[in-house]
Amino acid sequence: MNFLILVLSTILSLFPQTKTTQKVEKKPRQAPNIILMIGDGMGHAQLSSALYYGKSEPNYVRFPIVGLSRTSASSHKITDSAAGATAFSCGVKTYNGAIGMAADTTAVETILEYLAQREWKTGLIATSSVTHATPASFYAHVPLRKQEFEIAEQYLQSKVDFLAGGGQRFFFNRLDEQNLYPEFSRKGIQLDTNGLNPYQWEGNKRYAYILAKDGMPPMHKGRGDFLPRATTMALDYFDQTAGDKPFFLMVEGSQIDWGGHANDGDYLVGEMLDFDAAIGAALDYAEKDGNTIVIVTADHECGGFAMVSEEVEVPFRGRQSDYDSLRFSFGSGGHSGAMVPVLAYGPGAEVFSGIYQNNSIHAKMMGLLK
Ligand SMILES: [Zn+2]
């Protein structure tokens, strides 16, 4: 018996590498990957809804760092998504409607453009059209958000490596009868208008999934797992093509806002749960990678949304609040001025705790590069 153990341990000692897990060694990156996730219209109640209406504990409870963002635009107390996203992308407070421009309509370099200049891989994913205010603010510069034809043309000139969302009507069979289809191959962009089909990723190619005429369908109309799956695909693309360079990815849950505008709680909650699934995909990646920061925030609250108690008739006592049954309540069909949450995980995440202006999020991200 002792002899057998001796033989076995001798054999094992000849193969010491079998005891350690195999890991592909990557060159160390000088800065962390940045994944910025924007829940459009996601105030605290929207975020909280996932606690009560999801099948399991939300992914966002995994974040160790929490902050509050003050959302006002330069022109108004209540911001729109253009000024909100431009604060993140360019670091400036600007007027409602501005895309990638300061309050005096001068174009400001976006964080995506700055990083692409330094050979970072970049990606944008949204459930709106890819030319909508939030994604557009990372690559386009126009004075008015509704210039989506112009924004589409600027995308082609941009350095966005991975793009996914809706918005076909701003590229093909346009109202101005222009068709940008031939420009995609001319710019080395692999275009897919059918679905999230994976490719043999090539580092010198750009990829664009433009999968709906306008915005992507809402969750309750069958969008399925587009957002978490596109997020996972983008991370896979970066993993295979970025080499020793970091990447910057923006993921937007665009339609939490649209559920708020529609005062439709089921719409809103479906979108919130889907956004949380994408958050889970990003966090899983970041935990495994060890040098990726994930920041989740919102541009503004929308709908004055709340989860309030149902009122019930109690015999002899009249109408009373039943604190164990929730119903949706809306105070507005538009945005509100409430502060919004900021959640952060990863190297340097501590700087996102506290209460600060929305454009500080840009400065904090830039600070991670040092
Ligand atoms: Zn909105």
Side-chain angles (χ1 to χ4, degrees), residues 167-348:
Q168 290 165 358
R169 74 184 184 93
F170 302 108
F171 294 92
F172 323 116
N173 306 314
R174 308 192 332 171
L175 281 175
D176 64 3
E177 299 195 343
Q178 269 202 76
N179 187 356
L180 304 183
Y181 189 81
E183 291 300 317
F184 280 80
S185 55
R186 216 169 284 160
K187 295 283 180 193
I189 304 169
Q190 174 72 55
L191 172 67
D192 196 321
T193 56
N194 293 314
L196 286 175
N197 302 301
Y199 293 88
Q200 290 285 357
W201 306 121
E202 291 173 50
N204 56 354
K205 244 186 182 171
R206 294 163 62 190
Y207 294 85
Y209 296 89
I210 305 179
L211 302 180
K213 205 163 165 260
D214 209 324
M216 295 295 289
M219 283 307 283
H220 64 268
K221 288 188 180 160
R223 189 169 74 238
D225 63 354
F226 163 80
L227 193 64
R229 203 146 64 84
T231 303
T232 304
M233 274 181 75
L235 295 172
D236 182 55
Y237 162 71
F238 293 135
D239 242 10
Q240 295 192 28
T241 61
D244 59 347
K245 289 285 182 184
F247 64 78
F248 174 84
L249 175 64
M250 192 287 296
V251 179
E252 185 193 27
S254 317
Q255 299 191 31
I256 302 168
D257 181 66
W258 301 358
H261 282 295
N263 282 193
D264 182 336
D266 294 327
Y267 185 177
L268 184 160
V269 169
E271 296 298 325
M272 183 64 230
L273 293 173
D274 176 58
F275 185 53
D276 185 65
I279 290 172
L283 277 177
D284 289 347
Y285 178 89
E287 283 172 2
K288 235 188 308 165
D289 179 70
N291 194 15
T292 297
I293 183 161
V294 184
I295 305 143
V296 174
T297 190
D299 43 4
H300 52 72
E301 197 276 341
C302 181
F305 177 63
M307 288 172 292
V308 297
S309 60
E310 289 279 15
E311 293 219 315
V312 289
E313 195 68 38
V314 180
F316 309 111
R317 298 174 66 186
R319 292 190 72 74
Q320 304 253 310
S321 294
D322 174 4
Y323 280 175
D324 214 23
S325 64
L326 296 174
R327 87 182 150 80
F328 302 133
S329 151
F330 290 91
S332 159
H335 302 167
S336 78
M339 290 193 288
V340 294
V342 185
L343 313 174
Y345 168 88

